[in-house]
Amino acid sequence: QKQLVESGGGLVQPGGSLRLSCAASGFTLDSYTIGWIRQAPGKEREEFSCISNNGETTTYVRSVKGRFTVSRDNAKNTVYLQMNSLKPEDTAVYSCAASRLGVFEICGVSGQYDYWGQGTQVTVSS
């Protein structure tokens, strides 16, 4: 069974940090672009970061650029999202998704990823 599983979410104070992981099972990630998507209650889904299959290209939306860093370890079949300087407005369910398309074909384009994780809750609150 091919699936993505996110972990690392939780409750953190404003200004704090979290690292999310996105692990694949049943398939290898090294052929896939990975997108990170979040959805807050009452808000539209936001695709905020992507990483190419070899990790050489990353993209971020303005609201997270400079605070979030996406990376991957294909040997571990895992993608990471380091989130620093977290703000209350970062509160959302965070999901990863995988696509065989290249970064500039999928990220911010269609959202038509091949596989999705179930999501992990991130809550930023004092």
Side-chain angles (χ1 to χ4, degrees):
Q1 183 179 0
K2 299 176 181 179
Q3 59 179 355
L4 295 171
V5 178
E6 302 93 341
S7 61
L11 173 64
V12 63
Q13 292 187 342
S17 298
L18 282 175
R19 188 174 85 151
L20 305 185
S21 297
C22 170
S25 62
F27 68 107
T28 54
L29 281 182
D30 59 3
S31 297
Y32 291 82
T33 295
I34 300 298
W36 282 97
I37 300 97
R38 64 185 179 181
Q39 187 162 24
K43 294 188 177 180
E44 291 188 358
R45 191 171 67 186
E46 177 186 37
E47 180 189 63
F48 62 90
S49 181
C50 286
I51 185 167
S52 61
N53 64 324
N54 60 9
E56 291 184 358
T57 302
T58 57
T59 67
Y60 304 92
V61 297
R62 185 174 298 180
S63 61
V64 307
K65 197 168 188 178
R67 300 189 298 123
F68 291 10
T69 303
V70 60
S71 62
R72 64 193 299 158
D73 185 342
N74 285 340
K76 294 183 178 180
N77 223 25
T78 302
V79 174
Y80 304 98
L81 180 70
Q82 178 68 42
M83 305 187 294
N84 299 327
S85 302
L86 283 161
K87 305 175 181 180
E89 51 263 42
D90 294 317
T91 295
V93 174
Y94 284 67
S95 301
C96 60
S99 172
R100 283 189 170 272
L101 297 176
V103 167
F104 299 110
E105 295 175 287
I106 183 69
C107 298
V109 177
S110 68
Q112 298 298 317
Y113 287 89
D114 299 311
Y115 304 106
W116 287 80
Q118 83 290 350
T120 185
Q121 177 69 46
V122 171
T123 302
V124 185
S125 175
S126 55

